[in-house]
Amino acid sequence: MSVRPAWEVRENEGTTRWFEFRLVFADGARIDALVVVGDGCVCVEEVRAQPALSLDDLTVLADWIEESVAEACEPGAGPDGCGGQGRRARPAWPRGPEGRRLVAREYRAAQRDGADPILAVMGATGHSRRASLRLIGQARDAGLLSPRRARR
């Protein structure tokens, strides 16, 4: 796996950086991605994979990319999402009961506003869809959200 800086743009107080991400497997499979880091988040702009990836594979890939790019950022780089925020470019989110209460609050607020509650939790926590669904499930298990309706 390799991550290398492609270019960066400085504007006002912030910096946006692009990285090229490459993952090559022993069987010849290959993944190339263009990743953007800025405003405290990591975004995947483009992915090319041979052979093609499933949606589940893309979810796992997003976590790998996020960790790899965060490690590639220089420490202390400032408000561009690379420095001063630990290993990952995501906001700090409390664990345990406090985190579950905050997840439930975000989820209910999105429902009340007619927005997608899963996307709201993803945006608030900075976690992937899979991790956000896990947090929502934990909030349900703790009795902070109503049980899921059965699908028919």
Side-chain angles (χ1 to χ4, degrees), residues 64-133:
W64 282 353
I65 288 174
E66 184 178 28
E67 290 178 14
S68 299
V69 170
E71 289 173 1
C73 288
E74 299 171 353
D80 62 358
C82 290
Q85 293 186 8
R87 193 168 161 222
R88 291 180 166 258
R90 70 166 54 126
W93 193 260
R95 296 179 182 258
E98 168 98 14
R100 288 189 291 272
R101 278 192 295 276
L102 292 172
V103 164
R105 185 186 72 202
E106 291 292 333
Y107 189 95
R108 284 191 304 269
Q111 279 184 321
R112 193 173 43 252
D113 296 340
D116 184 331
I118 298 168
L119 289 178
V121 171
M122 289 171 63
T125 63
H127 288 290
S128 68
R129 183 174 184 84
R130 179 177 283 170
S132 295
L133 287 169

